[in-house]
Amino acid sequence: MPIYGADLIDFEGVNGERYWFHEPYAFTGVADIDERLSGFPVAVFLPSHRPVKDTPLIIGLQGMCAPYRWNNFIIPTLTQMGIAVALFDTPFAGERSLVRTFTAMVENEIKPLVDRGIPFNTELLSKIFQQTAVDITRIQQFCCERYGLSDRLGLFGVSMGVLFSSYTFTAHGIGERLLGTIGHADLTTFANSWGRGILTDLAASPVGTLAEMILGKMQPQLKPVVQMLKLANNLKYPDKYAQFCNPMTYVEQVQLPRRVRFLVGANDPIVNVKNAQACAQSFPDGDCYVVPGLGHGNRQFGPTFVDHARYFLSTQLGDW
């Protein structure tokens, strides 16, 4: 796989190096779209006060279509603890998106697909999950070979990034610790909580198909929204592709001493607390911490999400 760089970068006052990875992959079978989705940036940050052979690595992932820079707040926390950090963009996010608006609005990111009649469905989503796991594996291998880091690896995710990280952790057996914030590892119940109500069922029905045809002529900008509602419905009532990319399909492969921890907000309108707790209890060593006042990255009262996430990392990786 061609790897270009490194370019020097600075995030949160910490110096790092930025690379460009390019691994061609047929996400859609449309050459120009697959080309845009295949190349991605990787940013690596090392602590300055620890021998590299003793330095573990955390690979961090943001939410769906969110650029990797949104995770830059973890860099000073972890490097000060003597832990290296690698961040990268997943397909449809940041520099790996088709529109590069950096808004994390999924309906905006998938519009080029919808405009060309390419469905954003569970089959495509399963390919995104699978390739993200491959990307994480290659990034770890690169960091160990390029910098001489230890083989200790932890995966950190935010929102949809928790699901991507969890799939890598359960299905591919990558990582000693899985640390997720404002999310959990059960794709089906996660889809149930953010896709609740009758709209997803309607979108997947003949009524939804008719509505999509009408919208295509009258309000084409709403067609991506219908696509997302259909996707949510197919995740709520899993088809074979949704089963394939659900991390919980492989939960029995996770054995001690591998550890799973989730941090969720009591006021999160997207992530159901009971679902997150049940998901954590499915692992041999899993736990879920619920924060009063915290929403889905925002808050009603108390410390900010960033403050909670930094403390969460500090406590869960203090022995590293």
Side-chain angles (χ1 to χ4, degrees):
M1 177 177 62
I3 299 175
Y4 306 95
D7 299 319
L8 297 179
I9 55 175
D10 180 291
F11 279 4
E12 299 285 320
V14 181
N15 293 324
E17 294 183 317
R18 178 189 179 277
Y19 299 87
W20 187 264
F21 284 43
H22 192 273
E23 177 69 14
Y25 183 76
F27 289 95
T28 66
V30 180
D32 62 311
I33 288 179
D34 290 343
E35 175 69 16
R36 289 291 298 270
L37 297 175
S38 293
F40 58 98
V42 178
V44 182
F45 302 85
L46 269 63
S48 59
H49 59 285
R50 188 175 190 179
V52 289
K53 64 181 180 63
D54 300 325
T55 300
L57 173 67
I58 294 292
I59 297 179
L61 285 179
Q62 261 290 340
M64 187 71 177
C65 297
Y68 77 84
R69 291 173 177 267
W70 287 14
N71 251 340
N72 61 5
F73 66 90
I74 73 174
I75 296 168
T77 298
L78 292 174
T79 53
Q80 289 169 18
M81 294 173 63
I83 299 173
V85 182
L87 308 176
F88 72 103
D89 281 334
T90 54
F92 294 96
E95 296 177 71
R96 206 174 182 175
S97 81
L98 302 176
V99 295
R100 300 198 175 190
T101 57
F102 302 94
T103 62
M105 300 294 291
V106 180
E107 58 269 29
N108 294 339
E109 300 291 344
I110 69 170
K111 187 176 184 300
L113 295 184
V114 176
D115 290 344
R116 295 173 65 170
I118 303 170
F120 190 81
N121 54 18
T122 54
E123 182 178 5
L124 177 54
L125 188 65
S126 70
K127 292 180 179 180
I128 295 172
F129 271 82
Q130 188 171 12
Q131 191 58 29
T132 299
V134 172
D135 293 341
I136 288 174
T137 303
R138 288 175 174 157
I139 290 168
Q140 183 197 19
Q141 292 172 346
F142 170 78
C143 289
C144 289
E145 293 172 3
R146 172 67 176 82
Y147 297 103
L149 301 179
S150 78
D151 60 359
R152 276 187 298 166
L153 174 68
L155 304 180
F156 171 76
V158 177
S159 190
M160 190 71 180
V162 183
L163 283 160
F164 289 142
S165 299
S166 299
Y167 174 78
T168 304
F169 188 83
T170 62
H172 289 250
I174 304 298
E176 295 179 26
R177 295 188 185 177
L178 172 64
L179 306 175
T181 56
I182 57 174
H184 56 78
D186 192 331
L187 181 58
T188 301
T189 60
F190 191 42
N192 263 306
S193 60
W194 63 261
R196 58 184 178 271
I198 64 170
L199 286 179
T200 56
D201 299 275
L202 286 174
S205 71
V207 173
T209 302
L210 178 62
E212 189 172 15
M213 292 173 60
I214 296 173
L215 287 172
K217 297 180 179 179
M218 301 180 60
Q219 297 288 336
Q221 71 274 16
L222 296 180
K223 287 181 67 178
V225 177
V226 177
Q227 285 270 306
M228 289 304 300
L229 291 173
K230 285 185 175 181
L231 175 64
N233 193 75
N234 288 334
L235 295 174
K236 286 168 58 178
Y237 311 105
D239 59 17
K240 65 178 182 179
Y241 297 109
Q243 289 280 8
F244 174 81
C245 61
N246 187 349
M248 300 308 288
T249 301
Y250 316 94
V251 67
E252 293 182 358
Q253 298 178 191
V254 179
Q255 303 295 326
L256 295 172
R258 301 175 74 206
R259 180 187 301 178
V260 175
R261 297 290 186 270
F262 301 130
L263 179 79
V264 299
N267 301 93
D268 193 326
I270 297 176
V271 177
N272 182 281
V273 169
K274 291 183 178 179
N275 290 341
Q277 292 171 324
C279 179
Q281 292 169 5
S282 299
F283 291 92
D285 185 358
D287 207 348
C288 178
Y289 308 114
V290 182
V291 181
L294 183 66
H296 198 72
N298 54 9
R299 58 176 171 167
Q300 291 191 5
F301 58 85
T304 66
F305 164 72
V306 168
D307 291 333
H308 283 298
R310 284 173 166 164
Y311 180 75
F312 176 62
L313 288 169
S314 299
T315 55
Q316 296 306 315
L317 296 169
D319 58 335
W320 273 22

